[in-house]
Amino acid sequence: MRPDLPRPRHGADSALLALYARRAVPRYTSYPTAPHFEKNFPEDIYRSWLAALDPAEPVSLYVHIPFCKQMCWYCGCNMKLIARYQPVRTYVDNLCAEIALVAAQLPARMAVAHLHFGGGTPTAVHPEDLEKIVRTIEALFDFTPGAERAIETDPRTITDEMIARIDALGFTRASLGVQEFDPTVQAAINRIQPAALVQKTTEKLRAAGVKGINYDLIYGLPQQTEVALCKTVEECLAMKPDRVVLFGYAHVPWMAKNQRMIDEAALPGAEERAAQARLSAQALVAGGYQPIGIDHFALPDDSLAKAAREGRLHRNFQGYTDDDARSLIGFGATSIGRTPFGYVQNQSETGAWARAIEAGHLPVSKGLAMSVDDCLRGYVIERIMCDGAVNLEAAAAFFDVEPDWYLPENEQLDILQRDGLITREGARLTLTPAGATLARVVAATFDTYLLRDRARHSVAV
Ligand code: SF4
């Protein structure tokens, strides 16, 4: 069934909204965003941040595995193709050494609330290497009762042995890169993956005891049409994933060289792209999924959907989450961590990352110590992205700053209100339905770093 065409929203002018949608703005998985982290960030500062963590507060862990067995043309991740396995094994050894190095800086044996394996393709490592990493973590950290263990998988390459190991290692959630089922699109992005394969992998993971299944879909791909994407959504609905993330393809071939394999003439235009986003979102909602933030959907009884309804949603480098830990420790090349004091990012080049660890150093490359202003703006941006509303004076009271701190932004907020993206009641700002799809644009009003490098970000829709 094809979803209804969208209706005009709140009288907002559609041509105007299309202009907003073309603005280059960050995805705000952090604030300040990663391009503003300082280079050559001192390792000693990160050591002091780790040592100052509250031992009573659980932390979250992110483990980055940058390896893949095949290259997708649309990929924008930090990944390496596996030509032979020995470098992967060496990477795993260094990863375990890094985990031990970081754990030694902590004030106590810390509890973990969320563990996430991302990539690349974490399931591209051998099952015994995945086990080695998890057992290293278990030897150095405790897990809170009901802690989530999540892993990103590739349905094309995951083996039955790996699925059994994922179960044995207590993983509770797996995400599958689906993207699009249309064969023409799959050929154009070099990712051949029939729907039946995704269905089979989903069934196997569920049978193995993995309760939470996430699918990632992408709109704006070469050769993609509204009809094809809506058919993909329909096929996904039949497989009943617990969560779906609907990303917009970001074509940045000057940064991701593999994207030069994509025929730019086959990319959908801005209007087609916006229609794909809108129609597929409508199809997911019609299929019983709760929309969450700008691009997530979840079945109403999923923990993310509950967190959204209860105002407990957060945003981190993996997107929306119900994880409320204030600290996220990243392991692996290029991984980003966050503490209450600021952000750090590891060396992105695996050689430099490995050399630092072998020399007994934390492999930090970039970072940023948060000022009070960063914390305040980060909070406001996160609430806009998660709740679609924020009280600017209440935020000021929380961070102990002047209640009218946002006066310099007032003119811009007036314009957003005039254009139908927000409503304002006193200091409370709320996104309209039209503004909800453009939450990144509204959030950007509070981003003092953005004017310096607007060109580096993808379009808002
Ligand atoms: S899209 Fe995923 S599976 Fe494909 S190359 Fe990138 S990281 Fe690997």
Side-chain angles (χ1 to χ4, degrees):
M1 185 189 76
R2 190 189 155 111
D4 291 340
L5 285 168
R7 292 182 293 277
R9 296 159 162 175
H10 273 227
D13 180 275
S14 58
L16 196 60
L17 294 182
L19 280 179
Y20 274 114
R22 278 175 216 166
R23 282 199 183 170
V25 281
R27 301 184 57 76
Y28 292 115
T29 51
S30 72
Y31 180 82
T33 54
H36 298 290
F37 296 174
E38 294 157 16
K39 289 182 183 153
N40 304 317
F41 192 73
E43 177 194 352
D44 286 351
I45 293 182
Y46 185 36
R47 282 185 194 272
S48 69
W49 287 353
L50 290 171
L53 292 183
D54 181 350
E57 270 189 39
V59 295
S60 294
L61 306 182
Y62 172 77
V63 181
H64 189 76
I65 308 281
F67 302 101
C68 292
K69 293 184 178 169
Q70 295 171 42
M71 168 65 84
C72 312
W73 298 149
Y74 63 87
C75 182
C77 302
N78 172 40
M79 58 76 68
K80 283 174 119 46
L81 276 178
I82 301 177
R84 52 194 184 88
Y85 195 72
Q86 186 51 45
V88 181
R89 188 159 286 139
T90 305
Y91 183 90
V92 169
D93 288 343
N94 281 316
L95 198 51
C96 293
E98 184 191 4
I99 294 166
L101 269 173
V102 169
Q105 309 305 314
L106 296 169
R109 186 180 164 94
M110 307 283 281
V112 175
H114 274 71
L115 168 64
H116 187 104
F117 277 71
T121 308
T123 50
V125 303
H126 289 172
E128 61 271 22
D129 283 331
L130 180 67
E131 173 149 7
K132 187 173 181 178
I133 302 165
V134 173
R135 298 297 181 216
T136 300
I137 292 169
E138 287 174 340
L140 296 163
F141 293 85
D142 292 325
F143 280 79
T144 59
E148 179 163 282
R149 299 186 185 201
I151 187 161
E152 297 169 11
T153 70
D154 183 339
R156 297 170 302 168
T157 54
I158 192 167
T159 61
D160 289 352
E161 192 191 352
M162 179 56 96
I163 290 175
R165 198 68 64 109
I166 283 174
D167 171 40
L169 294 172
F171 281 92
T172 52
R173 186 170 294 279
S175 56
L176 284 72
V178 171
Q179 330 311 358
E180 162 69 84
F181 286 136
D182 184 89
T184 311
V185 179
Q186 291 192 352
I189 60 175
N190 198 36
R191 187 174 176 122
I192 306 299
Q193 182 182 279
L197 178 66
V198 172
Q199 180 163 10
K200 192 108 205 112
T201 308
T202 302
E203 287 165 3
K204 285 180 180 176
L205 284 163
R206 284 193 168 131
V210 179
K211 290 200 176 66
I213 298 290
N214 299 7
Y215 285 180
D216 294 339
L217 299 179
I218 303 185
Y219 66 85
L221 290 169
Q223 304 288 358
Q224 202 171 25
T225 63
E226 298 160 30
V227 174
L229 183 56
C230 288
K231 186 164 176 287
T232 294
V233 170
E234 255 180 63
E235 290 174 281
C236 288
L237 289 177
M239 302 177 202
K240 263 203 164 328
D242 300 271
R243 298 179 190 170
V244 176
V245 187
L246 184 60
F247 293 112
Y249 168 58
H251 190 61
V252 285
W254 56 95
M255 284 165 68
K257 292 194 174 58
N258 47 291
Q259 291 186 355
R260 293 179 191 164
M261 298 299 292
I262 285 182
D263 176 7
E264 291 190 351
L267 288 171
E271 275 179 34
E272 172 73 0
R273 197 180 148 91
Q276 288 174 9
R278 197 167 54 237
L279 293 171
S280 48
Q282 286 179 351
L284 284 162
V285 172
Y289 284 75
Q290 179 182 319
I292 293 168
I294 56 169
D295 52 11
H296 282 42
F297 301 82
L299 289 174
D301 60 352
D302 182 88
S303 61
L304 196 69
K306 287 183 194 158
R309 291 198 297 275
E310 293 165 9
R312 294 185 290 103
L313 202 60
H314 291 281
R315 192 153 168 82
N316 67 16
F317 301 102
Q318 281 78 57
Y320 289 101
T321 176
D322 54 347
D323 176 9
D324 61 1
R326 292 197 303 159
S327 299
L328 171 73
I329 301 176
F331 301 112
T334 208
S335 69
I336 299 178
R338 183 196 67 222
T339 72
F341 318 105
Y343 293 98
V344 287
Q345 181 165 26
N346 274 353
Q347 297 276 2
S348 56
E349 201 270 304
T350 49
W353 168 82
R355 283 191 295 279
I357 295 165
E358 282 159 11
H361 292 290
L362 300 179
V364 175
S365 148
K366 298 179 188 170
L368 188 136
M370 302 266 284
S371 66
V372 173
D373 187 67
D374 291 335
C375 292
L376 167 68
R377 290 170 185 278
Y379 170 83
V380 167
I381 286 173
E382 188 180 36
R383 291 342 304 159
I384 290 171
M385 297 295 292
C386 292
D387 303 340
V390 66
N391 186 314
L392 300 171
E393 280 182 13
F398 188 72
F399 290 96
D400 199 18
V401 299
E402 294 298 320
D404 59 357
W405 66 275
Y406 57 92
L407 278 182
E409 279 79 20
N410 248 342
E411 192 183 334
Q412 192 60 32
L413 294 174
D414 287 343
I415 294 170
L416 293 175
Q417 185 168 7
R418 182 200 68 198
D419 291 346
L421 270 63
I422 60 170
T423 59
R424 295 171 80 189
E425 198 177 323
R428 184 171 174 81
L429 172 164
T430 305
L431 301 183
T432 64
T437 58
L438 294 163
R440 292 163 63 184
V441 172
V442 177
T445 309
F446 297 96
D447 184 345
T448 55
Y449 294 77
L450 183 62
L451 283 178
R452 291 180 231 163
D453 84 337
R454 188 178 286 274
R456 288 195 214 180
H457 302 286
S458 58
V459 291
V461 175

